[in-house]
Amino acid sequence: MSNAMTLPQHPAKEQAAPKQRGYWGSVLYRLRYDPVTVFFGCVVLAIILAAIFAPVLAPFDPYKESIIGRLKPMGWKGHLLGTDELGRDLLSRLLYGGQVSLLMGVVPVAIATVIGGTLGVIGGFGGRRVNTAIMRTMDVFYAFPSVLLAVAISGAMGGGAANGMIALSMVFTPAMCRVAETATAQVKNLDFVEAARATGAGTLTILRYHILGNVLGPVFIYASSLVSVGILLASGLSFLGLGVKPPTADWGLMLSTLRQSIYINPAICALPGVAILIASVSFNLLSDGIRSAMDVRL
Amino acid sequence: MENLSDRGGPAQPLLIAKDLRKHFKVKGGAPGATVRAVDGVSFTIHKGETLGIVGESGCGKSTLARLLLHLIEPDSGELVFDGDPVGEMRGISVNALRRQVQMVFQDSASSLNPRMPVRDSIAFGPHVHGKTKAESSRIARDVLVKVGLKPDLFGPRYPHELSGGQKQRVNIARALAIEPRMVILDEAVSALDKSVEAQVLNLLRALKENFNLTYLFISHDLSVVRYISDRVLVMYLGAVVELGPVNEIFSRPKHPYTVALLASRPSMDPANRIEEPPLTGDPPSPIDPPSGCRFRTRCQFAETVCAEVQPVLGQWNDRDSHIAACHMRDPASGHSRATEVN
C-alpha cells in the first residue's frame, strides 16, 4: 500500500462516453435482434389490429344467416373461409370474435395485475402479520385448479362476458400476487434498500424509488405470459356456455357450436380452434422474447 | 440542510455507545433461545478519528454497525451523538442521526439499485432530505468527482456496467452526498482486489481529511485495520474484549484472543511460516455462550476463575486508554498469571 494521499487517477481518462440507453431502451435494442420475437410480435399486432378494425375488414355481416349457405367450404361465393352452421360468414365472425377473446384475455390480466400486484407488494414489504394475512388468503384460491375455479365462479354468478372477466380476474389475482410478493421480498432484503433507509428515506419513498422499479419487470413479464392463458380460459368458459351468450361471435363459443358439424366440414369447424391456437402461441412466444430481453444480468 | 457543525467542541466524543444489546430470537429453537449477537457493547468514537472494529465472522460486527444507525432496533442500550441522546425526547431523532451518519456496505453490487443509473442512486439521499432534483444531481456530480469518477462518463451508467472498485466508489459517493459527519464502513473494502482495495483505502483517507469525517471501520482484515485506524476495538462473540490505540494493540496486545488473532496473520517472511494455527475450531455458539469469560473455551491460559467470573473491560479515561477484558490483566482476579503478565 502506498502512502500517497492523492486521489488515485482513474485509468479511463480520455475515453469518450459511450452511447447510453436507458433500461427500456436496451430492452428494445435486444428485442430488435430477436427474429422469433419480432415475428410473433407482428402476429400479435396483426391480431389486435384485426380485432379493432373488424367492422372495416369484415367482408360480410357476421350475424347475417342464410339457410341455403350453411357449412359451405372455403371460397364459396366470396366467403373466404366458408360459412358456419347458420350460414354466417366465418371470416367475419372470426374477426369479430377476436374482439371478445382478446378483451377476455387482456382485461382480467390487467385487473389481476393491479390488484394482485398491489397486494403482493404490500405483503412482501409489510411485516410478517400483513404478509401472512394476504398470502394465506391467496392460498385459499390456489387450492382449486384454475379452470375449475373459473368455471365455479362464473357458474355461480351466471354467464356473460362481464362475469366471465370477473371470474378470470379472481383466478389470476393470487398468481399475480405471489409473483409480486416474491419479487418484493427479494429486493427488500438487498443492501440498497437498507442503504436508502440509512439515508433517512421513509417507507413510501423507498417503495416508489427502489422497490417498484425492480418489481414491475417480473410482474410485467408474468402478466404478458398470462394473456395467452386468459384467452384459452375465456374460450373454455364460452365453450362451456359460461362466457358470452350466442349469437355473439367468440372463438370459444364458435368452437362449441361448430363442434356438432365436425363430420360435415371438419376444416371449417377447426378454424376457431386455429385462431385460439395462433393467438395464444403468439402471445406466449412474444412474452418469452420480452422476458429474455428484460432478463439482463444485473 | 442546516448547518451541522461541531457543537460540543473537539473534546466531546462524536458518538458514545452505552451497553448496546441485541438478542435475536432463534427460529425453531428452544423457546426463549436467543442469539446474543451484540451483548453489552460500549465504546466512544472521537471526532475525526477512525475506530477500527475487528473480529471473526459472526462476532457481531455488522449487527453492531446496524444498531448504530437503528437499522435494527437495539433491545437495550443508549446512543449519544455529539451530546444528544438518540431517539429520546430531549435528544435527536433517528432520522436526524441518519443525516449525520452514513454507511457503506460490503457488497458493492447489491448496495446499488440495479435499475437506477448510479447518478440517480447518489442523488437520492439529498433529494430525500429536501433538495430539488436539480440541486441533487449537481451534488451527485460533485461527489462523483470527489471519489475520482468522471460524472459524464460514469453518472449515466447502471451498476452492472461498473467494476467492483468503481461500484464501491459510487457507494462512498452516495454516503458522502448528504454530507455526513461520520461514515460507517462495514467491510467496505473486503470484497475488492488487493490493488483496488489499496486505491479505495487511500481514497477514504483523502476524503476523511477533506471533509473532516469520522470513520467506524469494520473489517476482519487486520492489516487493513492497522493501515487505516487510529484506535482498534476487538470483538469476540458479541462483546468487546480489547480496545486501544492501533499501535498499542498491534505491538502490545493484552487479550489472549487479540494475541491469537495477530498471530494468525500470514507471515510476510517465508522463513517464518505459521506452523500451527493459533486458534482452532469455530467460536462457541452465541446462543449459549460459555459462562464467565467467553473466550475461555479456546484460551490456553483458562483457569477456574475464567469460568466463574465474567471479566470486565475496565474504564477508559481518554482516547489513549488501552483496556482488555481479561482476568490476567486484573491482579485482584485471582488468576495465577495475573501478576506475572503485568
Side-chain angles (χ1 to χ4, degrees):
Chain A
M1 268 171 250
S2 85
N3 286 319
M5 293 296 153
T6 49
L7 291 182
Q9 288 297 308
H10 197 273
K13 245 191 253 169
E14 297 310 324
Q15 175 189 342
K19 198 178 152 226
Q20 290 291 333
R21 316 182 170 86
Y23 172 70
W24 292 105
S26 70
V27 168
L28 273 182
Y29 178 79
R30 275 188 296 277
L31 271 180
R32 262 182 31 210
Y33 291 93
D34 180 357
V36 177
T37 309
V38 170
F39 175 75
F40 284 100
C42 293
V43 174
V44 164
L45 195 68
I47 293 173
I48 294 172
L49 289 178
I52 293 174
F53 293 108
V56 185
L57 294 173
F60 293 94
D61 177 355
Y63 299 109
K64 177 143 190 306
E65 298 170 9
S66 159
I67 303 292
I68 51 160
R70 288 184 297 162
L71 292 168
K72 291 298 174 192
M74 296 180 194
W76 182 79
K77 275 194 179 176
H79 295 281
L80 271 182
L81 294 179
T83 58
D84 72 357
E85 80 283 359
L86 294 175
R88 297 172 292 198
D89 178 52
L90 205 67
L91 175 60
S92 307
R93 285 185 66 76
L94 281 177
L95 289 170
Y96 274 91
Q99 292 180 335
V100 180
S101 291
L102 286 185
L103 212 61
M104 300 243 337
V106 173
V107 171
V109 172
I111 295 173
T113 304
V114 173
I115 298 176
T118 312
L119 285 175
V121 170
I122 295 171
F125 202 73
R128 207 157 46 89
R129 282 196 194 153
V130 180
N131 182 288
T132 309
I134 292 177
M135 296 320 289
R136 292 301 83 78
T137 314
M138 292 300 155
D139 284 348
V140 174
F141 287 89
Y142 256 119
F144 305 97
S146 56
V147 179
L148 192 65
L149 188 62
V151 169
I153 297 172
S154 62
M157 293 192 303
N163 284 348
M165 282 197 253
I166 295 175
L168 290 182
S169 308
M170 286 172 82
V171 170
F172 291 147
T173 300
M176 229 46 247
C177 181
R178 163 105 340 141
V179 170
E181 191 249 2
T182 312
T184 311
Q186 266 171 6
V187 176
K188 179 178 88 164
N189 291 326
L190 291 180
D191 283 344
F192 69 83
V193 174
E194 190 148 51
R197 280 213 293 145
T199 311
T203 305
L204 278 179
T205 317
I206 292 177
L207 273 176
R208 197 170 130 221
Y209 283 89
H210 291 295
I211 304 281
L212 274 187
N214 287 286
V215 173
L216 279 181
V219 164
F220 178 73
I221 289 168
Y222 189 65
S224 70
S225 76
L226 274 186
V227 171
S228 67
V229 182
I231 292 173
L232 274 179
L233 278 179
S235 305
L237 284 182
S238 304
F239 185 86
L240 293 173
L242 290 166
V244 293
K245 293 266 176 278
T248 313
D250 171 86
W251 295 343
L253 192 61
M254 288 162 71
L255 201 59
S256 168
T257 51
L258 281 168
R259 175 176 49 120
Q260 289 134 2
S261 321
I262 191 129
Y263 295 113
I264 301 166
N265 199 338
I268 301 283
C269 297
L271 281 176
V274 171
I276 295 170
L277 178 77
I278 291 175
S280 76
V281 165
S282 306
F283 270 105
N284 229 337
L285 288 173
L286 174 64
S287 146
D288 273 1
I290 294 174
R291 181 208 311 265
S292 54
M294 281 173 71
D295 187 25
V296 200
R297 209 189 64 78
L298 294 173
Chain B
M1 265 173 254
E2 76 264 26
N3 186 15
L4 303 172
S5 64
D6 200 340
R7 299 191 314 116
Q12 175 159 289
L14 186 62
L15 186 74
I16 304 174
K18 279 183 203 157
D19 207 25
L20 284 180
R21 230 169 264 276
K22 180 72 195 179
H23 296 181
F24 293 106
K25 284 204 186 81
V26 185
K27 267 187 195 156
T34 53
V35 174
R36 303 185 179 191
V38 172
D39 205 13
V41 169
S42 307
F43 60 90
T44 58
I45 302 174
H46 300 285
K47 285 169 184 162
E49 79 168 346
T50 300
L51 176 67
I53 297 187
V54 289
E56 281 166 300
S57 304
C59 72
K61 305 183 297 274
S62 290
T63 307
L64 178 63
R66 282 161 175 77
L67 288 179
L68 294 180
L69 271 176
H70 275 243
L71 290 173
I72 305 173
E73 283 299 312
D75 292 338
S76 66
E78 208 182 325
L79 278 178
V80 181
F81 187 82
D82 206 4
D84 294 316
V86 174
E88 285 175 32
M89 290 294 284
R90 60 205 159 82
I92 59 170
S93 69
V94 172
N95 258 346
L97 173 80
R98 286 178 183 170
R99 180 185 289 196
Q100 306 194 48
V101 184
Q102 278 293 294
M103 188 154 166
V104 177
F105 298 86
Q106 169 173 16
D107 187 346
S108 60
S110 78
S111 43
L112 290 171
N113 188 340
R115 295 285 154 97
M116 252 189 204
V118 296
R119 60 166 178 228
D120 292 357
S121 281
I122 298 170
F124 178 74
H127 188 56
V128 163
H129 287 297
K131 301 268 187 196
T132 63
K133 282 247 156 87
E135 279 177 305
S136 304
S137 18
R138 190 187 49 74
I139 293 172
R141 289 183 66 86
D142 288 353
V143 285
L144 270 175
V145 173
K146 282 167 188 162
V147 298
L149 295 175
K150 293 199 158 197
D152 292 323
L153 191 60
F154 293 98
R157 290 198 189 175
Y158 286 83
H160 70 273
E161 297 170 307
L162 300 179
S163 72
Q166 290 165 346
K167 270 183 274 203
Q168 203 57 301
R169 282 164 190 265
V170 171
N171 277 313
I172 293 167
R174 197 249 325 268
L176 294 180
I178 63 170
E179 297 171 16
R181 295 172 65 192
M182 179 175 153
V183 180
I184 299 173
L185 300 144
D186 183 8
E187 302 271 13
V189 296
S190 305
L192 304 176
D193 294 345
K194 274 292 160 200
S195 58
V196 180
E197 182 179 26
Q199 285 180 15
V200 174
L201 282 174
N202 284 335
L203 170 69
L204 285 171
R205 280 195 141 179
L207 290 171
K208 185 184 161 197
E209 305 236 322
N210 290 344
F211 300 104
N212 287 322
L213 293 169
T214 302
Y215 285 155
L216 182 72
F217 191 92
I218 297 174
S219 181
H220 62 268
D221 187 336
L222 290 162
S223 41
V224 168
V225 166
R226 180 175 204 173
Y227 175 71
I228 199 148
S229 305
D230 300 313
R231 289 194 309 145
V232 175
L233 184 155
V234 185
M235 273 184 87
Y236 184 76
L237 223 60
V240 182
V241 295
E242 186 162 357
L243 174 65
V246 61
N247 290 331
E248 285 275 315
I249 296 265
F250 278 83
S251 55
R252 282 188 297 280
K254 286 186 172 177
H255 196 284
Y257 175 63
T258 315
V259 175
L261 210 56
L262 292 175
S264 68
R265 283 181 302 171
S267 167
M268 284 297 140
D269 177 6
N272 189 17
R273 291 175 202 272
I274 309 174
E275 297 297 340
E276 273 180 50
L279 273 177
T280 50
D282 289 328
S285 163
I287 297 174
D288 187 20
S291 64
C293 175
R294 286 157 186 249
F295 185 60
R296 70 177 164 84
T297 51
R298 295 162 92 190
C299 178
Q300 53 176 322
F301 307 112
E303 293 182 1
T304 40
V305 61
C306 300
E308 286 159 1
V309 185
Q310 187 171 354
V312 288
L313 187 60
Q315 206 60 47
W316 61 85
N317 303 316
D318 52 44
R319 66 174 71 186
D320 292 329
S321 307
H322 181 191
I323 48 179
C326 179
H327 288 308
M328 291 193 288
R329 296 290 153 192
D330 181 6
S333 67
H335 193 287
S336 64
R337 297 170 67 95
T339 42
E340 173 192 334
V341 176
N342 277 308

